[in-house]
Amino acid sequence: MIAVFRPDDGRLAAAVKFIESLGATALGDAMLEVRPTGTAPREDADFSILTSKTGVELANQTGWNAQGTICAVGEGTASRLRDFEYPVHRIPDEFSSAGLVEELAADVDGARVEVARSDHGSPVLTDGLEAAGAYVHETILYELVRPEGAGSSAEAAAAGELSGAIFTSSLMVQNFLDAAEARGIRSEALAGLNDAVVGVIGEPTKSTAEGLGIAVDVVPEKADFETLARAVVAASAN
C-alpha cells in the first residue's frame, strides 16, 4: 500500500488514481488543507514571484493584473500562469527558493519584488532577495493546515501496512508525524515508515524528513508528482 498526502481538492483523488494505474494500492490521506485568505498580490512590483499552482489560481481569482517581470518557481507554476494568460518571463534552472534567488539576484538591487505564496513559504527566498538589495513585499494567498481527522496513513504505517509513502512538501512530513503523535503512535508510525520506501520531492523535503528521523529512499531528479510516484511504486515492488 502506497500512502499519498495531497490536498483533498481534486489532487488527492487524481494522485490515488495515478498510483492505482501503476498497479499499486493507494491510501489517500490529505495532510494539507488550503485555506484562501482572499488577499490579492500587489500589482505595482517590478518583479512578481509565484511559487505554486495553487497560488496562481488564487491570485487569478482576485482579478490580479500583474505588471513587470513575472517569475515562476518551476514549469508547473509557469504552465498554470499561462493557462490564465499571464506572461512568464523568468524560471530558475533549479526549481526552488534558492534557485529563484540565484536566478534574480543580479537584477533586483533597488527593485520592488512581490512574493505571493502560502503562509509556509521558505525564508530562503525573501531573505535572499533582500540580501541582493530588493525591496520585498510578501502576500499570503493561502494558509496550509492539517485537516481534522487526517492520520489514517499513520495508523497504517504503525501497523506495518505501508510499502511506500510519497511526500511532496516538508509540511506534509511534519503533519504526518503530528497526526501520529495525536494518536499516540508516533514511534510506531515512524518505524513503519522506515520499513517502507519513502519518496520526497526535492532536497528541502528530504532534509526535513531526515531531520525528523525518516530515512529517504527516493528523490527524483525531475521534481514532479508523477515521476516521484513511478519511482516509489517501482522501488516498493522490489
Side-chain angles (χ1 to χ4, degrees):
M1 186 185 299
I2 309 293
V4 62
F5 311 104
R6 307 283 271 179
D8 193 12
D9 55 5
R11 283 177 285 181
L12 183 63
V16 167
K17 183 177 180 180
F18 182 74
I19 291 167
E20 291 178 344
S21 77
L22 300 175
T25 301
L27 171 59
D29 188 12
M31 281 293 166
L32 292 180
E33 179 182 329
V34 175
R35 293 184 180 174
T37 63
T39 306
R42 292 182 61 167
E43 298 181 350
D44 60 349
D46 301 303
F47 293 82
S48 294
I49 298 174
L50 279 297
T51 64
S52 70
K53 294 179 183 179
T54 299
V56 173
E57 292 162 1
L58 294 175
N60 180 68
Q61 288 175 18
T62 68
W64 179 53
N65 182 23
Q67 305 296 318
T69 300
I70 299 180
C71 313
V73 71
E75 290 293 347
T77 304
S79 176
R80 201 66 180 127
L81 281 162
R82 296 186 186 107
D83 287 343
F84 293 115
E85 300 185 350
Y86 293 111
V88 180
H89 303 107
R90 305 284 286 270
I91 305 172
D93 292 332
E94 177 190 329
F95 298 165
S96 68
S97 293
L100 278 167
V101 172
E102 183 176 356
E103 170 71 22
L104 300 174
D107 303 318
V108 296
D109 188 16
R112 292 169 298 179
V113 178
E114 170 72 352
V115 177
R117 59 183 183 174
S118 81
D119 63 330
H120 282 79
S122 169
V124 168
L125 178 57
T126 48
D127 290 353
L129 293 172
E130 288 177 347
Y135 298 99
V136 179
H137 179 268
E138 183 177 16
T139 296
I140 302 303
L141 298 174
Y142 57 103
E143 299 173 348
L144 292 170
V145 299
R146 175 164 57 92
E148 185 177 351
S152 59
S153 57
E155 294 175 356
E161 296 172 352
L162 293 186
S163 57
I166 300 172
F167 293 100
T168 55
S169 74
S170 292
L171 188 56
M172 286 181 184
V173 176
Q174 184 63 63
N175 284 353
F176 172 89
L177 292 177
D178 287 348
E181 181 75 33
R183 287 164 169 73
I185 55 171
R186 182 185 175 107
S187 61
E188 294 87 348
L190 186 58
L193 199 60
N194 283 331
D195 285 338
V197 174
V198 175
V200 304
I201 280 185
E203 291 299 323
T205 306
K206 178 184 178 183
S207 178
T208 297
E210 291 180 340
L212 292 168
I214 298 170
V216 174
D217 304 291
V218 176
V219 187
E221 289 188 11
K222 185 178 180 182
D224 70 76
F225 175 78
E226 292 189 357
T227 300
L228 177 58
R230 286 192 186 96
V232 170
V233 169
S236 66
N238 295 332

